[in-house]
Amino acid sequence: GLVVDPEQHAAEMANLQNDVMQSGQYATWEDFLTEKGWTPETLSEQLTTYLLFQMLLKAHGGPEEVEQVHAAHILVDTEALGQEVLKKLQEGADFAVLAAEYSNDLGSKDLGGDLGWFPRGVMVSEFEEAAFALNPGETGHLVSTAYGYHIIRVLGKEVRPIDADLLPQVQQRNFQEWFEAGLEKAQIEILV
């Protein structure tokens, strides 16, 4: 039941043409079409397909606000080292200091292990399950994943908008789940 609005199609086509010409890579719009192997009609069809897909993502990509966790972690290679770091935490050592000293996660160790906010479906399942099970302020037990052993501390948990960088990934995953569920129910007959 989704239909592309002709005005939206025209506006998107004008934006595309403007972007192509502003890039300076092509002398004319026709040069661009020729290099890509498109006619105005085939490009129009592709744009329609793209806009329909965007509408499907919006309709079946899930909400843009979901429960998220703000977590920090310390990633180590061995269970023994993980237990040693956990013991230091239990004795009152500072989480951020231990992250800087022990964590193998180069992207977060200098931030005190801070991973920022994330929704379900972004982290590996073992990590995600442990993080969402904790309450703000709690530190979990050692969690084993394919990356090593994690000590997770939850800094916050709330419903919030999905970060713009993550939204397409989350919507694509939700759409794929919706599509596969519909595909399982479909009666498909292959005639060729």
Side-chain angles (χ1 to χ4, degrees):
L2 299 176
V3 178
V4 174
D5 176 21
E7 288 181 16
Q8 180 188 11
H9 187 281
E12 289 289 335
M13 186 65 79
N15 286 339
L16 175 61
Q17 189 169 358
N18 185 53
D19 290 348
V20 167
M21 297 315 298
Q22 291 291 328
S23 75
Q25 295 178 352
Y26 304 95
T28 67
W29 176 245
E30 290 71 27
D31 290 345
F32 166 75
L33 292 174
T34 300
E35 183 173 313
K36 298 298 181 184
W38 294 329
T39 65
E41 294 77 21
T42 58
L43 178 58
S44 178
E45 289 171 8
Q46 288 186 3
L47 181 57
T48 298
T49 300
Y50 168 78
L51 292 172
L52 283 170
F53 183 70
Q54 294 303 310
M55 293 165 70
L56 282 169
L57 271 183
K58 188 163 182 69
H60 301 287
E64 294 184 12
E65 286 191 2
V66 295
E67 181 183 34
Q68 297 187 52
V69 167
H70 181 193
H73 80 143
I74 301 170
L75 173 64
V76 295
D77 289 331
T78 66
E79 185 175 4
L81 182 55
Q83 292 298 344
E84 180 183 325
V85 174
L86 264 176
K87 185 176 182 210
K88 290 181 179 192
L89 283 170
Q90 291 165 352
E91 292 170 352
D94 184 80
F95 192 96
V97 170
L98 292 176
E101 182 178 346
Y102 290 101
S103 186
N104 294 333
D105 183 348
L106 300 178
S108 71
K109 73 180 287 170
D110 293 334
L111 303 171
D114 194 340
L115 297 169
W117 290 92
F118 56 88
R120 294 182 191 277
V122 174
M123 302 294 186
V124 293
S125 61
E126 304 90 347
F127 185 97
E128 179 180 288
E129 186 178 313
F132 276 89
L134 295 169
N135 292 314
E138 291 182 336
T139 302
H141 300 290
L142 213 52
V143 176
S144 175
T145 71
Y147 299 101
Y149 295 87
H150 305 261
I151 301 166
I152 304 168
R153 175 168 287 172
V154 170
L155 307 172
K157 188 188 290 187
E158 62 187 48
V159 173
R160 55 187 289 125
I162 299 171
D163 183 78
D165 293 336
L166 285 177
L167 186 59
Q169 174 186 343
V170 172
Q171 285 182 322
Q172 183 68 38
R173 186 196 73 236
N174 290 338
F175 173 80
Q176 194 64 36
E177 289 172 2
W178 168 81
F179 181 79
E180 288 173 4
L183 194 59
E184 285 181 18
K185 296 176 186 174
Q187 296 290 326
I188 299 173
E189 184 177 349
I190 300 174
L191 302 173
V192 180

